[in-house]
Amino acid sequence: MVETATDIGTGTTARAEDLHREYGRGAAAVRALRGVSVAFAPGTFTAVMGPSGSGKTTLLHCLAGMDRPTRGAVWWGGTEVSRLPERRLAALRRSRVGFVFQAFNLMPAMTVAQNIELPGRLSGERPDRGRVLDALARVGLAGRERHRPGQLSGGQQQRVAIARALVSRPPLLFADEPTGALDRATGHEILALLRAGVDEDGGTCVMVTHDPVAAGYADRVLLLADGVVVDELDRPTAAQVGECLSRLGGGGL
Ligand SMILES: Nc1ncnc2c1ncn2[C@@H]1O[C@H](COP(=O)(O)OP(=O)(O)O)[C@@H](O)[C@H]1O
Ligand SMILES: [Mg+2]
């Protein structure tokens, strides 16, 4: 488990190898992932789709080092993440991974700038206001650093969450239904930001979405059903994605 220079920075590939994740034991066990092997190259944007309960969030959490697989492995570059002790994993995750949630997950009592600085503070770093302001400008929110989340629209709050995820310039960005709580026009702005992170910075983005139009921003769509990858589409149209989802049942909802 030696880390080499090639692991660092934008060249990081995320990879899952025969990933299994069970919740609970015995008769009550839920098999959320049942053998998923997949790789995500630098400079690519992948959408993960599939019916509710198919394991999308579980896969994302395992790939992001936020959950541990029951069996199988997750790699970031040459590092086997799933075997790292908790402290090393937490430290590595902070430098490698950004995560965007559907519900934004901002702290309401903190300003926008404090929210963006929080992950760094928690890991003992001194806040770098210049970097925070750069990240805010990147998401189109220059001048909002002293506002509180409650003073912003949903789309603006999600932009803050993206700035928070990107401020440390992590090579891997995960997003779990980042546009799920937004109207379509605002959703497109968020998707364009994620796409820009891939195209301009060479990052790797993996996004769960229910929306075939949102999936149109991705280079590739992975379809999950019952904890396995059942299909993979390269640069599909929204119509192709919709057709695939309806074949899986549930229309992806
Ligand atoms: N913490 C948990 N405890 C028990 N079961 C869980 C837990 N998280 C998810 N599950 C179950 O695992 C399966 C996959 O869940 P999830 O990954 O959230 O699916 P999706 O994101 O595709 O809707 C579901 O059956 C869900 O109920
Ligand atoms: Mg989910």
Side-chain angles (χ1 to χ4, degrees), residues 8 24 26 31 44 48-49 53 55 64-65 73 76-77 82 88-89 94 141 165 168 172 187 203 209 218 228 232 245:
I8 311 295
R31 300 178 72 196
T44 63
V48 178
M49 305 188 80
W76 296 335
S82 36
R88 280 206 57 209
L89 171 58
R94 278 190 293 268
L141 287 178
S168 60
L172 302 170
T209 182
V228 291
E232 192 177 318
L245 285 172

Side-chain angles (χ1 to χ4, degrees), residues 23-24 30-32 50-59 176-177 208 224:
Y23 295 107
V30 176
R31 300 178 72 196
S52 183
S54 56
K56 304 181 295 295
T57 293
T58 303
L59 175 61
D176 195 352
E177 305 196 38
V208 169
L224 279 189

Side-chain angles (χ1 to χ4, degrees), residues 17-250:
E17 202 178 272
D18 194 29
L19 217 56
H20 292 252
R21 178 66 167 102
E22 287 182 17
Y23 295 107
R25 279 164 184 271
V30 176
R31 300 178 72 196
L33 295 176
R34 299 186 299 128
V36 172
S37 298
V38 63
F40 305 90
T44 63
F45 188 171
T46 302
V48 178
M49 305 188 80
S52 183
S54 56
K56 304 181 295 295
T57 293
T58 303
L59 175 61
L60 220 59
H61 286 179
C62 287
L63 286 168
M66 292 160 56
D67 189 12
R68 300 229 183 224
T70 310
R71 182 146 69 85
V74 170
W75 298 77
W76 296 335
T79 305
E80 189 178 344
V81 176
S82 36
R83 292 175 75 117
L84 291 177
E86 200 53 50
R87 283 176 68 106
R88 280 206 57 209
L89 171 58
L92 196 61
R93 188 173 55 222
R94 278 190 293 268
S95 64
R96 299 285 182 87
V97 171
F99 204 100
V100 177
F101 302 87
Q102 176 175 350
F104 322 142
N105 292 13
L106 300 173
M107 306 295 280
M110 292 184 172
T111 66
V112 161
Q114 288 166 342
N115 267 284
I116 296 172
E117 287 164 353
L118 185 60
R121 268 186 197 281
L122 291 175
S123 58
E125 286 164 22
R126 239 164 26 113
D128 179 338
R129 212 17 96 96
R131 271 186 127 177
V132 169
L133 297 183
D134 280 351
L136 264 182
R138 264 184 102 199
V139 299
L141 287 178
R144 300 301 190 111
E145 59 273 11
R146 291 199 177 82
H147 289 214
R148 308 225 179 242
Q151 297 172 290
L152 303 176
S153 70
Q156 289 171 331
Q157 290 183 54
Q158 192 61 304
R159 285 163 182 258
V160 174
I162 290 176
R164 179 181 57 188
L166 294 178
V167 69
S168 60
R169 301 221 167 243
L172 302 170
L173 180 65
F174 298 96
D176 195 352
E177 305 196 38
T179 60
L182 304 174
D183 64 72
R184 183 146 275 184
T186 310
H188 281 300
E189 295 168 11
I190 296 299
L191 292 161
L193 283 174
L194 298 179
R195 182 76 242 181
V198 169
D199 293 339
E200 290 163 22
D201 301 339
T204 306
C205 183
V206 185
M207 168 183 76
V208 169
T209 182
H210 280 135
D211 179 2
V213 177
Y217 280 79
D219 307 308
R220 171 173 72 148
V221 176
L222 287 181
L223 285 142
L224 279 189
D226 289 331
V228 291
V229 175
V230 290
D231 210 345
E232 192 177 318
L233 307 168
D234 274 322
R235 296 209 161 271
T237 63
Q240 285 169 322
V241 173
E243 188 195 319
C244 232
L245 285 172
S246 57
R247 256 191 283 129
L248 288 178

